[in-house]
Amino acid sequence: MNVLGFLYVGLATAMLIPAIVDVAQKNADWQAFVFSALLTGMVGMLLSIAVGGSLREGLDTRQTFILTTLAWTTLPAFGALPFLWLGVGYADAVFEAVSGFTTTGSTVLTGLDGLPPGLLVWRSLMQWMGGIGIVVMAIVLLPFLRIGGMQLFQSESSDRSEKIVSRSVELIRLIGLAYLFLTVSCIAAYLATGIQLFDAFNHALTTIATGGFSTHDLSFGYFTNPASGWVAIVFMVIGALPFVLIVQALRGHPLQLWRDPQVRALIGFLALVSLTLTVYLGINMHFPFDEALLRATFNVVSIVTGTGYALGDFSQWGAPVIGITLLLMFVGGCTGSTTGGIKIFRFLVFFGTVRAHLRRMVRPHRIMSEEYGGTRLTPELSFSVLAFLVVYMGSVGIITVALSFFDLDLVTAISAAATSVGNVGPGLGHMIGPAGHFAPLPDGAKWLLSFAMLVGRLELFTVLVLLDPDFWSK
């Protein structure tokens, strides 16, 4: 409760930023953010005062599971308050806030070009705060909780007494500074391509966070300078890289990035798929090479990293592109990045496990040791990854079936499930595709997808373990 109180106070402080923007633009909507900030801050201070001083001995494993889940489920509830104040429906407000904090990028809002500036800034800020929160969770909490093979990335400074205390404060500080530096760099790069300051600020926040909220209905199709698209591609890829390695690179060790197998695999995968789609667009859609390369690379990077920006309606490029897009929704970026999805690291472990199994089928008595980046993969770690993959795919399947009860067609249902669990953004089909939005969905479907976005962002097991009776037994 003490930690949650501090988080709520921080969120309330952030709400004052869009209020200042609205005041500067002489927009009366500043009141929505001020009153929301007052309510959120009051709740936060009351919590901190009521249980102050209770963090002296740190948090154990069970408390950390509970804190992580409570933080990610309650922060969007408070983040939705400004939307409610401005007349957005309850289901829509929560959906938009959850999509923001989880950096999914799915939206129920239309007419973005005419929305109040403060509201647009708040959407971007939610994604930016969610992005740094995801990195901290992936680097500090998930290895400690041993979820989905994340224990491989246990920090060398980890406290083996199973108490989460201040051991990671310095690492979090460095990551925060790197995150801020990259954001400012992205703003400067967008400005250099001719994008106006307001758009550059908002898009930089959502690019680094691989979130995808835009200030325009056309998303990146609004900007005519191809250089803007290439800047977005570069920073989307950076956002998909491990931030621990980014910190090392910024401190003078750039080769550390390339030495990580998942970084090499991600770059190679993006290049291969982008070039393949470029050739397809050139032959079947008759795009000039430079346009085909930009559109293919931009949309592939956007989907794989879970950013969710769109450059053109790729759902109109034919059935093969739709099929490829659906598969790309499951991939994700690197571990310790702002991206969602399964993650490249888990695919590498999975394929390594399958390869080892095939070799043992041929030579049953052969002793093999699978490694990842020089670290031996233990049976526990391989099982953890395989269990995550099964639960991930099962979750997408269950949510797809549940969505079908709302009379959604198969393409819409399965893409909505995949994009929500993977925190990608747009789905497929005429309703929720890159040219559409999630507003037409029934409220029940929006609540279900909000739950899916949260579960996906919490790496599934963080929530599922709370359903185990043994978790609550002393």
Side-chain angles (χ1 to χ4, degrees):
M1 292 301 102
N2 196 11
V3 174
L4 286 177
F6 280 110
L7 291 176
Y8 297 159
V9 172
L11 182 64
T13 305
M15 288 178 177
L16 298 178
I17 297 176
I20 294 172
V21 172
D22 273 338
V23 169
Q25 296 291 324
K26 298 180 179 180
N27 190 306
D29 291 335
W30 63 268
Q31 301 174 53
F33 297 101
V34 171
F35 283 107
S36 299
L38 288 174
L39 177 59
T40 306
M42 181 179 66
V43 173
M45 286 187 289
L46 287 175
L47 278 178
S48 294
I49 292 172
V51 295
S54 60
L55 263 183
R56 293 169 185 168
E57 296 183 1
L59 303 172
D60 60 26
T61 305
R62 291 196 302 174
Q63 292 168 333
T64 306
F65 274 112
I66 296 171
L67 170 63
T68 305
T69 303
L70 282 177
W72 282 98
T73 52
T74 58
L75 286 173
F78 286 102
L81 292 177
F83 296 101
L84 291 172
W85 183 277
L86 296 174
V88 178
Y90 190 57
D92 287 353
V94 172
F95 182 94
E96 196 76 11
V98 170
S99 179
F101 278 103
T102 60
T103 71
T104 303
S106 304
T107 185
V108 293
L109 300 181
T110 58
L112 298 177
D113 301 78
L115 288 181
L119 193 64
L120 293 174
V121 169
W122 180 234
R123 295 168 78 243
S124 302
L125 275 174
M126 285 192 300
Q127 291 204 323
W128 191 78
M129 291 185 294
I132 187 65
I134 290 160
V135 174
V136 171
M137 183 182 75
I139 293 173
V140 177
L141 296 181
L142 295 186
F144 172 80
L145 300 176
R146 310 177 74 82
I147 291 175
M150 293 292 290
Q151 56 266 40
L152 180 66
F153 302 95
Q154 190 94 32
S155 172
E156 292 180 0
S157 61
S158 296
D159 183 359
R160 302 301 177 180
S161 64
E162 294 213 335
K163 293 287 186 182
I164 295 183
V165 285
S166 60
R167 59 177 168 76
S168 302
V169 171
E170 179 63 16
L171 178 59
I172 294 173
R173 186 185 69 85
L174 292 174
I175 291 171
L177 290 174
Y179 194 73
L180 182 61
F181 170 76
L182 291 173
T183 303
V184 174
S185 301
C186 190
I187 293 174
Y190 279 142
L191 289 173
T193 64
I195 296 180
Q196 297 298 313
L197 178 59
F198 182 78
D199 285 342
F201 173 80
N202 282 280
H203 285 84
L205 263 58
T206 58
T207 301
I208 291 300
T210 60
F213 274 162
S214 177
T215 54
H216 303 284
D217 287 327
L218 293 176
S219 190
F220 250 81
Y222 177 85
F223 306 112
T224 56
N225 188 351
S228 302
W230 287 110
V231 168
I233 290 170
V234 170
F235 281 96
M236 283 190 288
V237 172
I238 291 175
L241 300 180
F243 266 77
V244 169
L245 299 183
I246 290 177
V247 168
Q248 294 181 12
L250 292 175
R251 300 183 77 182
H253 304 282
L255 291 180
Q256 291 293 337
L257 270 171
W258 190 248
R259 289 171 183 162
D260 192 333
Q262 62 177 334
V263 173
R264 298 196 300 271
L266 175 65
I267 300 300
F269 178 76
L270 291 175
L272 177 62
V273 179
S274 298
L275 289 175
T276 302
L277 187 56
T278 298
V279 174
Y280 173 86
L281 293 179
I283 296 175
N284 292 275
M285 305 301 295
H286 308 293
F287 285 157
F289 175 76
D290 56 343
E291 182 180 357
L293 182 62
L294 173 59
R295 288 179 178 267
T297 306
F298 186 97
N299 287 296
V300 167
V301 170
S302 180
I303 296 167
V304 171
T305 62
T307 307
Y309 288 142
L311 186 59
D313 187 357
F314 51 77
S315 64
Q316 302 297 317
W317 294 349
V321 175
I322 294 176
I324 292 173
T325 300
L326 182 61
L327 293 178
L328 294 180
M329 289 180 180
F330 292 88
V331 179
C334 296
T335 299
S337 69
T338 62
T339 63
I342 292 174
K343 304 286 194 308
I344 292 292
F345 151 70
R346 293 190 178 106
F347 280 107
L348 293 178
V349 174
F350 170 72
F351 289 130
T353 303
V354 171
R355 182 174 60 249
H357 180 68
L358 292 175
R359 289 175 177 174
R360 278 192 289 266
M361 290 176 64
V362 178
R363 296 180 176 86
H365 302 292
R366 183 178 181 180
I367 299 176
M368 291 175 294
S369 176
E370 290 295 320
E371 293 186 351
Y372 174 87
T375 303
R376 183 175 175 274
L377 298 179
T378 64
E380 180 210 1
L381 191 145
S382 297
F383 176 80
S384 182
V385 170
L386 293 177
F388 179 89
L389 290 173
V390 171
V391 173
Y392 189 99
M393 300 305 295
S395 299
V396 173
I398 291 171
I399 294 170
T400 300
V401 173
L403 288 172
S404 66
F405 285 94
F406 294 99
D407 294 327
L408 300 179
D409 62 88
L410 179 60
V411 172
T412 301
I414 193 172
S415 64
T419 195
S420 296
V421 176
N423 305 118
V424 177
L428 297 172
H430 67 281
M431 186 185 300
I432 62 171
H437 47 80
F438 286 71
L441 295 180
D443 283 354
K446 293 172 186 174
W447 284 111
L448 178 61
L449 292 176
S450 297
F451 172 76
M453 287 187 277
L454 286 170
V455 171
R457 178 47 67 201
L458 287 166
E459 301 278 342
L460 302 170
F461 284 96
T462 309
V463 177
L464 292 178
V465 72
L466 300 181
L467 304 178
D468 185 359
D470 288 341
F471 176 84
W472 301 100
S473 61
K474 294 183 179 180

